[in-house]
Structures are given as C-alpha cells and as structure tokens.
C-alpha cells in the first residue's frame, strides 16, 4: 500500500472515445505527477502539479489534458487517442516539487489500451 | 541536463548469489540519486536514495548502493539474492541545486534492468 491510488486499473478505449484517469493520494503531499511507461522506453514525465499549479508540461500532445482540482486529486482526461498511446500511466506524489530530495510515491498505474 | 544509463537491460542470478545492478549518471549539478523497484502489475517503490550525506546508502530489503563521484556511478547491490527480488529496477537522478532555472525536482529515469533470480 503506497498511499496513492489510481482508477481504473485497466482501460480499453477506441480512438474516438473520451475517458478520464483518476489519481488520489492520501499522504498529505503537495506535488502530483503523471508519467507514461511504454515497453522498452524509460519512464516519461508528462505533467507536474505543485500546490495545484501546473509546473511542467513535457511537450505532451493536447489529446491528454490534466486537471488538478486540489492537492489530493489528479485527473488525466483522454480524447481521440492513438494506438501508440497504449501504455501504463503512472501517477506519483511527493511532499513538494523541487528544492530537496523529495522522493516520489507511485500508484499502481492504469494499463491503457487504445484500439 | 541530466541522464541515467543502466548497463544491462536483463540480469540473471542464482538464489543466494550477489546482485549487482549498474547505474551511471550525468548531471551538470550535484545530484540526488534514487533506486526504485517495480514488481509486476505494480507501481514503482523507492528502495533507497542518495542525498549527499553518506556515500554508502542502505535501503529496504537488504539492498544498498554506493555513490562514487569519480566514476559517476550509483550501483545497486545485495549480497544474497532471494526469489522475491525478481522485478524491474530503475535508477533515477535529479539535480539538487536550483541553478539557472533547472527543474531540480524533476526525476530522470534509466531504462530499467529486469532482474531474474533462478532457484
């Protein structure tokens, strides 16, 4: 149990669908992250929110839209995805972003398959 | 800029043997270094971290890593492998100095090393 939960754990969607991934952390952290983990590639940082403000957008296509309504919740809204977007999407949180070795705590991930 | 190279995408050891997973980093500022482990169908779990205190860092599950600045390395070791150690291991680096607008909170991960433990 890491204190970071993600739903759903598995998602299959067509290219014309709209879906959302949800992440919740119960650790009292102030920074939250979305990562993409594809086979044979390093983890790719997608977005960072620090105290609800987006501080990093790692050149992510606009078909991925993050939302952070408060420090405990993070969403990733998906629309008109491509098959190459199939991957494991990991959410993480840390006490803060930057200025310190704030280790990140990861959720179990959502396995996304785009058909 | 920072980067991590993990030498060997797959490492196989016998149960009871030494585990050695290699990590070399590149960073323009003094780094923080981390090792994470990922078991099948799970997220990443922190094993240990280096934060510029002791160069030999002990982590969970009997793992340890040594920071060697001269070699820019942070290799992960465990004296005796257990079947439950089979997983994928990731080395990661972040900068610890907010110089020139560097996103020093940003973790850069290596490509991972899959550890297989044979009975």
């Amino acid at each position: 149990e890491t204190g970071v939960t993600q739903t759903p754990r598995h998602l299959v969607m067509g290219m014309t669908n709209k879906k959302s991934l949800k992440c919740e952390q119960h650790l009292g952290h102030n920074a939250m992250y979305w990562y993409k983990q594809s086979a044979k590639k390093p983890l790719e940082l997608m977005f960072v929110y620090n105290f609800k403000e987006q501080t990093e957008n790692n050149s992510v296509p606009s078909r991925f839209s993050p939302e952070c309504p408060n420090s405990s919740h993070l969403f990733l809204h998906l629309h008109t995805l491509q098959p190459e977007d199939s991957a494991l999407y990991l959410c993480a949180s840390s006490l803060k972003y930057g200025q310190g070795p704030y280790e990140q705590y990861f959720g179990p991930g959502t396995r996304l398959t785009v058909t | 800029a920072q980067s991590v190279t993990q030498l060997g995408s797959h490492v196989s050891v016998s149960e009871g043997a030494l585990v050695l997973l290699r990590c070399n980093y590149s960073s323009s500022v003094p780094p923080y270094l981390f090792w994470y482990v990922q078991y099948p169908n799970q997220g990443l779990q922190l094993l240990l971290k280096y934060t510029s205190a002791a160069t030999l860092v002990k982590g969970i599950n009997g793992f340890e890593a040594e920071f060697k600045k001269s070699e820019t390395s942070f290799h992960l070791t465990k004296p005796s492998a257990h079947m439950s150690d089979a997983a994928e291991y990731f080395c990661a680096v972040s900068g610890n100095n907010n110089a020139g607008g560097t996103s020093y909170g940003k973790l850069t991960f290596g490509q991972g090393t899959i550890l297989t433990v044979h009975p």
Side-chain angles (χ1 to χ4, degrees):
Chain A
E1 178 58 53
T2 63
V4 181
T5 58
Q6 291 186 242
T7 55
R9 293 292 310 274
H10 300 272
L11 178 62
V12 179
M13 60 185 290
M15 290 190 285
T16 59
N17 292 159
K18 290 184 179 181
K19 295 287 185 182
S20 295
L21 310 184
K22 178 182 177 182
C23 175
E24 184 173 2
Q25 59 94 0
H26 311 274
L27 301 170
H29 290 166
N30 297 293
M32 297 189 77
Y33 310 75
W34 280 117
Y35 287 89
K36 178 182 179 182
Q37 187 177 29
S38 305
K40 303 186 187 303
K41 293 177 68 175
L43 263 72
E44 301 173 61
L45 179 65
M46 300 175 72
F47 303 102
V48 181
Y49 279 82
N50 196 33
F51 292 92
K52 300 190 298 179
E53 298 295 322
Q54 188 179 129
T55 56
E56 295 277 349
N57 177 339
N58 202 25
S59 302
V60 180
S62 60
R63 58 186 183 270
F64 295 91
S65 174
E67 179 189 2
C68 188
N70 55 61
S71 292
S72 298
H73 294 86
L74 184 66
F75 295 89
L76 188 63
H77 303 300
L78 317 171
H79 64 96
T80 57
L81 294 190
Q82 304 298 311
E84 60 265 28
D85 297 322
S86 298
L88 183 67
Y89 288 85
L90 291 166
C91 174
S93 71
S94 66
L95 185 60
K96 297 179 187 178
Y97 180 64
Q99 198 171 15
Y102 297 120
E103 58 262 35
Q104 296 178 21
Y105 293 79
F106 285 79
T110 295
R111 174 69 63 187
L112 174 66
T113 303
V114 181
T115 60
Chain B
Q2 54 199 30
S3 65
V4 173
T5 302
Q6 292 184 237
L7 300 176
S9 58
H10 289 81
V11 170
S12 181
V13 301
S14 298
E15 192 173 20
L18 171 72
V19 176
L20 171 61
L21 304 182
R22 300 177 187 274
C23 172
N24 288 89
Y25 70 91
S26 172
S27 177
S28 58
V29 297
Y32 292 135
L33 292 156
F34 305 80
W35 275 100
Y36 283 85
V37 61
Q38 185 177 31
Y39 299 101
N41 301 314
Q42 294 187 30
L44 278 68
Q45 179 184 1
L46 181 70
L47 276 177
L48 49 81
K49 64 180 180 182
Y50 167 75
T51 60
S52 71
T55 56
L56 182 62
V57 181
K58 294 186 184 298
I60 62 172
N61 302 338
F63 284 93
E64 62 182 37
E66 185 173 8
F67 172 71
K68 292 187 177 180
K69 184 178 178 181
S70 61
E71 299 178 6
T72 61
S73 69
F74 190 58
H75 302 332
L76 182 71
T77 60
K78 182 174 181 177
S80 178
H82 192 273
M83 298 294 288
S84 61
D85 295 326
E88 189 163 18
Y89 292 79
F90 294 91
C91 183
V93 63
S94 72
N96 70 359
N97 182 359
N98 188 20
T102 299
S103 295
Y104 51 79
K106 182 176 178 179
L107 279 181
T108 300
F109 286 86
Q111 291 199 302
T113 298
I114 296 173
L115 175 66
T116 302
V117 182
H118 297 289

